[in-house]
Amino acid sequence: MERIEKSASYKMSASDINLKILAYTVVGIFALICLIPFVVMTSSSFNLESDIIKNGYCLFPRKFSLLAYKVIFSAPDRLIGSYILTICNTLLGTTIGLFLISMTGYVLQRPDYAYRNAISFYIYFTTLFSGGLVPYYLLITRGLHLKDNYLVLLIPGLMNPWLIILMKNFMKSIPHEITESAKIDGAGDFTIFIKLILPLAKPALATVGLFLALGYWNEWFNGMLFLSTTMKYKPLQLYLYEIITKADMLRNTPASKYIPPQNLPTETAKLATAVIATGPIVLAYPFVQRYFIKGITIGAVKG
Amino acid sequence: MSSKSKSNAWKTFKQNKTLVIMSLPAIVFFFIFSYIPMPGIYIAFTDYRYDLGIFKSPFVGFENFRFLIESGDLLRLVRNTVLYNIAFILVGNIFQIFLALLLNEINNRTYRKITQSFMLLPHFISYVLVGLFVYNVMNYDYGLLNILLKKVGLNPIPTYSNPDIWPYVLVAVNLWKNAGYGSIIYFATLTSIDPEIIESAMIDGASHVQKIRYILLPLLRPTFVILLLFSLGGILRGDFGLFYNVVGATNALLYEKTDIIETFVFRSLVNDFNFSMASAVSFFQSVFGFFLVVFTNWLVKKIEPDYALF
């Protein structure tokens, strides 16, 4: 493919060259549009609040200031608590979810499993029809008594039909002969799954794991519905949401004793909180990107 | 005869015992979180009282639906949800295909990798953060939009009280968040095309534009049709995270243009404690959504039988 493009480039016509220029510019511009909000957020969080209000947000800090970070770290316990909560939730949820999803995905594609179609449909049907938010709300609060329980952030996100289907499609690409020959050697199904299949499914585990981790890191909905506003520690994104939407959240920080309320850097403090809440997932992303792109490519193109 | 088939069933079960145990977590999980709530949809036909519970609350038949239709709420919600989805699907897919075709023209791998990384970034962040970004652009006093308007000497727009601009904003935000991700799927289809087809066309003197027009676009058509059809099935489902964080669920000034089924249900449940009304809207969404998916699957079967889901 690369070679053909090169040999063809000898006789590139004017329209071909125009197309290349268009491709490089449009893709470049859109990539920048995707990136710039993150740069503006970070730069502005290091800028002086009064300057932002006068001149707007900035691409590079115009008047460097750490005040916003000082304010949010003046009472760091809530932020740190939210951080620890979110990290634990993400690690636990991703590990348990990955185990359950890969086990289900493996079993459901086993051609010798008698109930595979029935169970696949049982799982798939939940994407077609649901009771809606109200019965779900009643189930969590009155049936399972998970209101104000941190488990509500963990359990409902462990599995979802789409990730199981994605995993099942991956597992199909692992030759069934491996399972068969291991069975002849006397290995049990669970042992085969743990010892032989899991190590072979690394790209799938990376992709689904990333989806799960993203879900847990970005979780705010269940927290908002099921955790009382009085609870001290919130998932990180919900904490960010409260900082953004509730003006008095920042007014109550210890730093506000020393800074007159009209000078409290509320806008930049929101941005600083956003930088802190988003940082890890964006920083981790370059390391998993390779698997991720490969993963959604294989999962999406039905083969 | 019946005892024989019974013993066969038992034998099959025994042979699959370990596999059954291994699928048990998923069976239990979906039973609890998806199947148990299903009968709860009955709330839509009751005047729900928290102290009495679902099945002891007084039955009112279609009263809740009548109210929703007469108040005009249902019409507005369905219209908004459907129109937004159509806009998201069409604008989104066309732009994603456009991006994928352009990415395919980029020979420099480093450039492609870097731009792809940037384009995927929005997919990785929460809607809470997206909401903050949009607020930074849209807010009245020092948002980017009004600062620009003031700089060129125009009057600032009262953004959060003007419903007419929000459809554009929401479509743009949706595009921004999902374009990079979606373009990967189309790009993957492009890279899986047999290079010989393109090679022979190039030898015959086809230009790059002709290559796109006559080879690549037709080859992308099935992927496009399938994605289109499947999003058709979900056309009554709105993106709560997007609408709630970008617009807010309680800004009544904007309801006419921004209220979707999900935001209404959420508001009825959390702010108004009107469980019956929320359920009635959900009922409509679930039942019609179900028929839409079944209909879509039937369509897919006719067009590309291999892609049908069931």
Side-chain angles (χ1 to χ4, degrees):
Chain A
M1 184 74 196
E2 295 283 322
R3 196 177 47 80
I4 304 157
E5 297 279 358
K6 259 182 205 143
S7 67
S9 70
Y10 288 121
K11 45 182 179 189
M12 274 221 291
S13 68
S15 75
D16 289 348
I17 294 168
N18 284 340
L19 180 70
K20 294 274 167 195
I21 295 173
L22 181 80
Y24 277 80
T25 6
V26 171
V27 167
I29 289 173
F30 185 69
L32 281 180
I33 291 175
C34 289
L35 178 72
I36 282 173
F38 296 90
V39 179
V40 170
M41 165 179 81
T42 316
S43 298
S44 300
S45 73
F46 286 107
N47 203 27
L48 207 61
E49 171 106 348
S50 55
D51 182 61
I52 299 264
I53 292 184
K54 215 170 104 197
N55 300 315
Y57 300 95
C58 53
L59 260 183
F60 305 99
R62 283 181 299 248
K63 289 182 176 155
F64 188 82
S65 158
L66 284 175
L67 193 61
Y69 289 88
K70 277 183 189 144
V71 168
I72 62 170
F73 280 112
S74 65
D77 56 327
R78 284 197 64 190
L79 181 60
I80 291 172
S82 297
Y83 232 92
I84 293 171
L85 176 65
T86 301
I87 290 174
C88 292
N89 200 37
T90 305
L91 287 179
L92 264 179
T94 308
T95 317
I96 302 173
L98 207 48
F99 174 73
L100 295 177
I101 290 172
S102 51
M103 187 163 72
T104 313
Y106 170 65
V107 170
L108 289 184
Q109 59 80 46
R110 277 273 298 261
D112 55 337
Y113 183 29
Y115 311 117
R116 67 177 191 283
N117 287 332
I119 298 173
S120 293
F121 185 77
Y122 170 85
I123 292 173
Y124 177 69
F125 183 74
T126 62
T127 67
L128 301 183
F129 192 82
S130 84
L133 188 62
V134 177
Y136 176 71
Y137 181 84
L138 292 173
L139 169 81
I140 300 280
T141 52
R142 299 187 75 169
L144 301 172
H145 300 286
L146 285 178
K147 193 165 170 48
D148 287 340
N149 187 328
Y150 285 126
L151 285 176
V152 82
L153 304 175
L154 180 75
I155 298 174
L158 285 176
M159 283 192 253
N160 78 57
W162 300 114
L163 290 182
I164 292 179
I165 292 170
L166 190 74
M167 185 60 87
K168 186 178 137 189
N169 283 345
F170 271 119
M171 293 291 192
K172 265 190 202 153
S173 65
I174 299 173
H176 183 56
E177 284 75 25
I178 293 176
T179 304
E180 275 177 336
S181 61
K183 282 203 110 165
I184 293 167
D185 291 345
D189 291 312
F190 189 71
T191 320
I192 295 172
F193 165 67
I194 297 283
K195 293 219 165 132
L196 295 171
I197 303 298
L198 275 187
L200 287 172
K202 269 185 200 143
L205 295 176
T207 310
V208 173
L210 187 63
F211 274 119
L212 280 170
L214 275 178
Y216 279 109
W217 189 270
N218 289 336
E219 145 63 36
W220 56 279
F221 183 68
N222 282 312
M224 187 172 68
L225 263 184
F226 300 117
L227 299 182
S228 312
T229 44
T230 49
M231 276 181 93
K232 195 166 181 194
Y233 302 120
K234 301 283 172 65
L236 208 46
Q237 302 301 323
L238 186 59
Y239 179 76
L240 174 63
Y241 180 80
E242 290 183 348
I243 293 273
I244 293 172
T245 50
K246 291 181 185 153
D248 57 329
M249 283 280 292
L250 283 163
R251 298 231 164 81
N252 293 333
T253 58
S256 61
K257 282 181 198 142
Y258 310 104
I259 306 167
Q262 67 271 22
N263 290 343
L264 201 68
T266 49
E267 290 309 311
T268 50
K270 288 177 191 173
L271 297 174
T273 313
V275 169
I276 302 219
T278 313
I281 204 88
V282 170
L283 292 179
Y285 158 62
F287 300 102
V288 282
Q289 187 204 3
R290 195 162 53 96
Y291 293 108
F292 185 66
I293 291 187
K294 209 163 135 197
I296 50 177
T297 306
I298 301 171
V301 181
K302 219 171 158 176
Chain B
M1 181 67 200
S2 79
S3 78
K4 197 187 166 197
S5 68
K6 215 176 188 178
S7 75
N8 269 344
W10 179 241
K11 219 173 125 193
T12 318
F13 178 78
K14 262 176 83 178
Q15 275 168 354
N16 290 280
K17 207 176 64 194
T18 321
L19 296 176
V20 172
I21 294 170
M22 285 169 80
S23 34
L24 215 53
I27 295 173
V28 173
F29 181 89
F30 288 104
F31 184 74
I32 294 177
F33 289 103
S34 301
Y35 283 91
I36 291 183
M38 279 180 198
I41 213 157
Y42 171 74
I43 298 172
F45 300 96
T46 65
D47 180 13
Y48 182 75
R49 283 181 43 192
Y50 203 79
D51 55 329
L52 295 177
I54 300 177
F55 295 102
K56 286 192 180 130
S57 294
F59 178 81
V60 297
F62 286 92
E63 200 55 27
N64 297 321
F65 295 91
R66 200 176 63 95
F67 180 81
L68 279 170
I69 290 168
E70 281 176 3
S71 65
D73 284 342
L74 193 63
L75 179 74
R76 184 193 69 214
L77 296 171
V78 171
R79 185 196 64 203
N80 284 350
T81 311
V82 168
L83 287 181
Y84 272 112
N85 270 322
I86 291 178
F88 291 165
I89 293 163
L90 285 183
V91 176
N93 276 293
I94 290 169
F95 189 67
Q96 286 159 11
I97 290 176
F98 179 64
L99 265 186
L101 288 170
L102 294 182
L103 275 171
N104 196 43
E105 291 300 319
I106 290 173
N107 301 337
N108 185 324
R109 291 187 62 171
T110 321
Y111 188 78
R112 200 170 64 205
K113 285 252 161 74
I114 292 175
T115 48
Q116 263 191 333
S117 311
F118 290 170
M119 289 192 293
L120 264 179
L121 264 184
H123 192 75
F124 275 68
I125 57 168
S126 73
Y127 266 120
V128 176
L129 187 65
V130 176
L132 179 66
F133 284 163
V134 175
Y135 179 76
N136 289 347
V137 176
M138 299 297 290
N139 87 64
Y140 185 74
D141 297 311
Y142 36 86
L144 200 62
L145 180 73
N146 278 340
I147 283 188
L148 285 177
L149 285 177
K150 278 185 237 169
K151 270 198 179 137
V152 296
L154 291 168
N155 287 329
I157 302 174
T159 38
Y160 283 87
S161 56
N162 177 1
D164 294 330
I165 50 174
W166 286 95
Y168 302 102
V169 176
L170 287 162
V171 170
V173 173
N174 180 275
L175 197 66
W176 180 78
K177 196 159 192 314
N178 299 318
Y181 180 79
S183 71
I184 291 183
I185 294 170
Y186 283 112
F187 183 64
T189 316
L190 286 178
T191 49
S192 67
I193 292 171
D194 183 1
E196 274 183 30
I197 302 173
I198 297 160
E199 191 176 4
S200 55
M202 296 307 244
I203 290 168
D204 289 346
S207 72
H208 284 253
V209 180
Q210 282 170 324
K211 176 187 82 185
I212 289 174
R213 170 76 185 74
Y214 296 106
I215 302 173
L216 300 186
L217 272 182
L219 284 170
L220 280 183
R221 204 186 68 102
T223 313
F224 173 68
V225 171
I226 295 311
L227 288 179
L228 194 73
L229 287 174
F230 282 121
S231 26
L232 183 72
I235 212 159
L236 277 174
R237 253 176 261 157
D239 190 340
F240 179 76
L242 172 69
F243 284 79
Y244 186 76
N245 286 291
V246 169
V247 188
T250 52
N251 187 344
L253 289 169
L254 305 179
Y255 283 170
E256 191 50 35
K257 293 280 172 71
T258 63
D259 206 14
I260 56 164
I261 292 177
E262 269 79 2
T263 47
F264 179 88
V265 170
F266 180 82
R267 205 167 54 236
S268 308
L269 177 68
V270 174
N271 298 342
D272 310 335
F273 303 105
N274 196 336
F275 286 53
S276 299
M277 225 42 94
S279 283
V281 175
S282 285
F283 180 89
F284 182 85
Q285 182 185 33
S286 287
V287 171
F288 278 82
F290 177 76
F291 285 115
L292 261 174
V293 176
V294 173
F295 169 72
T296 311
N297 194 62
W298 173 81
L299 260 184
V300 174
K301 251 186 189 160
K302 288 206 126 181
I303 300 171
E304 305 265 341
D306 289 349
Y307 287 87
L309 280 170
F310 48 86

